[in-house]
Amino acid sequence: MAIDVSPFRVREGRRVDLKKWPTRVKPLYDSKEHYRLLLADQVDRLAERQDLLYAYDRYALLLIFQAMDAAGKDGVIKHVMSGINPQGCQVFSFKQPSATELDHDFLWRTSTCLPERGRIGIFNRSYYEDVLIVRVHPEILRAQHLPEDALDDRSIWKRRYQSIVDHERHLHRNGTRIVKFFLHVSKEEQRQRFLARIDDPKKNWKFSASDVSERALWKDYMRAYEDCLAATSTTHAPWYVVPADDKPNARLIVSSVVLETMKSLKMRYPTPGPDRIKELQRIRQQLA
């Protein structure tokens, strides 16, 4: 079943009001079994495309996931990428920066983790934290050792958005295809998931008191996300706002976007030349 992902894509230059973007849409599946079949089919096709990506060795794919706490990033990555060959996939999670990282520009720590050609890279949070959480918590910005003239509140975010757009344009020109997902969960659904983490001993480790304090800043985060999505969604590195209240739905949407992106790449398996074909035939005769 083909899934139309265009309604979830943020168009370049468009203003974003997240109140108008749904956190839940009509299920794309009829039952749990139907969902498992749909996802399994998507995973199989992604595995086929990954083999081709690896063999062609001209493109890299970078998937970026951003969201509020408990939106389901880990689950999406786990289920959608379940059939991918680990040799061709790398996952990085970016949390609080180290002292060394704070002594570099905000794009530095992720640059060393970019996927090589032929591979898929996944950023569970990313350099976008520096225009999201840092915007909500200006004390983090003050810890980044920036020159005084770089701390102008009126322009710093616009400059950082431009740095990100330029960075992603550079990567695109050099063969890295970038797709970015904002898992859009409602505040009520987040509350329910927090309660589930508290009530289930196996999930207690996922919850911390800081999750609640960050939840109190919900409006500030939504404003930061709206400005970020509008400023940095481009034709070559688009954002998708994925309704995340329904986890299976979110996984199907993400897998469809990834598959559609990989299908758009003009790839082929390497074709051996005449000399190579003769060599292979000689070796075959020896083995036969």
Side-chain angles (χ1 to χ4, degrees):
M1 181 183 80
I3 296 174
D4 181 12
V5 297
S6 60
F8 311 112
R9 181 169 177 159
V10 178
R11 301 300 168 183
E12 183 171 355
R14 298 285 181 87
R15 180 177 177 273
V16 175
D17 182 353
L18 287 174
K19 295 187 184 70
K20 297 180 180 180
W21 289 75
T23 60
R24 185 182 295 272
V25 293
K26 183 179 178 181
L28 301 166
Y29 54 94
D30 299 327
S31 63
K32 289 184 178 180
E33 180 59 28
H34 186 217
Y35 154 71
R36 284 192 285 268
L37 290 173
L38 288 175
L39 186 63
D41 177 64
Q42 296 280 60
V43 168
D44 286 345
R45 289 195 282 166
L46 281 174
E48 293 174 1
R49 287 284 163 176
Q50 185 206 13
D51 286 343
L52 182 54
L53 179 76
Y54 190 85
Y56 190 57
D57 197 28
R58 294 294 185 276
Y59 295 106
L61 180 62
L62 175 61
L63 308 178
I64 294 177
F65 291 89
Q66 295 285 159
M68 296 295 286
D69 292 323
K73 297 191 307 302
D74 292 344
V76 166
I77 295 169
K78 175 182 176 181
H79 287 83
V80 172
M81 311 308 289
S82 61
I84 296 298
N85 185 339
Q87 293 184 96
C89 183
Q90 303 150 324
V91 182
F92 296 94
S93 297
F94 297 97
K95 300 186 184 297
Q96 185 173 345
S98 67
T100 299
E101 290 167 343
L102 288 171
D103 273 333
H104 289 81
D105 70 90
F106 75 95
L107 292 170
W108 179 80
R109 68 171 178 160
T110 57
S111 295
T112 57
C113 302
L114 291 168
E116 302 96 321
R117 290 186 182 88
R119 289 170 170 79
I120 299 173
I122 299 172
F123 285 178
N124 185 346
R125 302 191 186 277
S126 66
Y127 44 83
Y128 279 98
E129 293 290 277
D130 283 270
V131 293
L132 296 169
I133 189 171
V134 176
R135 183 169 179 176
V136 175
H137 292 279
E139 66 275 12
I140 302 176
L141 184 64
R142 290 192 290 271
Q144 293 183 339
H145 306 163
L146 295 171
E148 289 298 325
D149 59 358
L151 292 172
D152 185 348
D153 290 341
R154 294 170 296 180
S155 59
I156 185 170
W157 306 118
K158 289 182 180 180
R159 291 199 303 267
R160 286 198 169 188
Y161 296 147
Q162 190 59 55
S163 293
I164 289 172
V165 170
D166 291 343
H167 176 63
E168 292 177 346
R169 185 177 290 117
H170 166 76
L171 292 176
H172 181 87
R173 283 197 298 263
N174 286 275
T176 299
R177 296 298 178 259
I178 304 169
V179 187
K180 302 170 293 193
F181 300 98
F182 170 57
L183 302 188
H184 190 23
V185 68
S186 67
K187 194 174 183 181
E188 172 58 21
E189 180 65 22
Q190 187 198 58
R191 186 180 73 87
Q192 295 293 338
R193 293 181 187 180
F194 279 171
L195 289 171
R197 289 180 177 184
I198 293 170
D199 294 340
D200 185 348
K202 294 180 180 179
K203 295 182 178 180
N204 287 170
W205 65 273
K206 291 185 175 184
F207 185 79
S208 69
S210 65
D211 294 337
V212 177
S213 59
E214 292 300 288
R215 174 178 165 81
L217 300 170
W218 189 275
K219 289 184 179 180
D220 294 334
Y221 273 109
M222 291 303 102
R223 190 177 304 112
Y225 269 109
E226 288 170 347
D227 291 348
C228 171
L229 296 172
T232 62
S233 190
T234 61
T235 54
H236 59 269
W239 275 105
Y240 288 85
V241 179
V242 179
D245 283 2
D246 181 337
K247 291 182 180 181
N249 244 17
R251 295 163 188 167
L252 290 173
I253 292 168
V254 169
S255 63
S256 295
V257 172
V258 177
L259 184 58
E260 184 177 284
T261 302
M262 296 185 77
K263 287 171 66 176
S264 71
L265 303 178
K266 296 179 180 180
M267 300 185 293
R268 63 182 184 277
Y269 284 103
T271 303
D275 291 341
R276 176 61 172 162
I277 291 175
K278 290 180 181 178
E279 179 187 18
L280 291 173
Q281 288 302 319
R282 286 197 301 271
I283 295 173
R284 189 185 190 286
Q285 290 176 1
Q286 293 175 10
L287 293 172

